[in-house]
Amino acid sequence: SSLDPYKGEILSIGLVKLNGKELYLEMEYDGPVDLWVKKNIIPTLKGQKVSRKEAIRRIAKFVGKGKPYIVAYVNQYDAIYTYKLFGNLKTTPFFWIPIDFASILFGIGINPEAYYTNDKENFFKEIGVDASKFKHTHNALDDARLLREVYLRMVK
């Protein structure tokens, strides 16, 4: 709902495992939203809304007991809002250290902004990823699907 972690809440979550299994949830929310969120996120939210309690239950079931890492492109927001949803680090089903894919790109000499599909330095074609399959930028599930595909191509 906002990039301000003190007032923002997670509105949707998309999780994709390396094996391709997916979970997508949109949470009930009736609080304030920033103008950018209203313009870019709210229009993509068209699914059935679940309560935060139900979202926690489904996410924990999907993730399982292994405490996997969250891997996200610019993970600060994804991790913070996921931890916020669960209440604290002890109750989240994820390992406490998130993996930031933008930092991985930077570390191997790729401009992290080249991850955007409309960036002229975009490297997707170079690694064999058809980014046009992922139609909804800033949709949690499409973002997770794209990240999985890019990650799998880059670790080959």
Side-chain angles (χ1 to χ4, degrees):
S1 62
S2 172
L3 291 181
D4 179 342
Y6 292 103
K7 67 179 185 176
E9 296 291 336
I10 192 169
L11 301 177
S12 65
I13 189 166
L15 302 172
V16 181
K17 294 180 179 181
L18 287 177
N19 67 11
K21 290 185 181 177
E22 301 179 346
L23 176 69
Y24 176 72
L25 300 169
E26 294 179 7
M27 273 63 78
E28 295 171 347
Y29 180 76
D30 62 359
V33 296
D34 288 353
L35 184 58
W36 186 91
V37 173
K38 191 178 289 188
K39 182 179 175 186
N40 296 284
I41 303 300
I42 301 299
T44 72
L45 302 178
K46 301 188 186 303
Q48 181 181 3
K49 308 296 186 265
V50 298
S51 69
R52 294 197 175 302
K53 185 176 180 180
E54 179 63 13
I56 290 168
R57 186 190 70 73
R58 289 188 193 181
I59 294 166
K61 182 179 178 186
F62 179 77
V63 171
K65 302 272 186 222
K67 288 279 189 184
Y69 291 97
I70 290 176
V71 178
Y73 174 69
V74 192
N75 71 338
Q76 299 89 308
Y77 297 110
D78 296 333
I80 294 275
Y81 289 110
T82 301
Y83 298 157
K84 216 174 152 178
L85 174 67
F86 277 86
N88 63 54
L89 283 175
K90 291 180 182 176
T91 58
T92 180
F94 301 100
F95 189 71
W96 69 276
I97 300 174
I99 306 299
D100 179 19
F101 197 72
S103 293
I104 292 171
L105 294 175
F106 181 80
I108 61 174
I110 297 174
N111 176 356
E113 290 195 21
Y115 185 83
Y116 293 110
T117 54
N118 59 354
D119 189 281
K120 67 180 187 261
E121 295 178 29
N122 182 291
F123 61 91
F124 293 136
K125 189 180 244 182
E126 182 181 320
I127 63 170
V129 171
D130 179 8
S132 69
K133 296 188 308 188
F134 308 98
K135 298 182 182 359
H136 302 290
T137 303
H138 301 303
N139 171 276
L141 185 56
D142 265 0
D143 288 351
R145 287 172 172 157
L146 176 60
L147 180 59
R148 175 187 174 269
E149 189 164 333
V150 169
Y151 178 84
L152 289 173
R153 293 287 181 153
M154 292 186 79
V155 297
K156 278 187 175 183

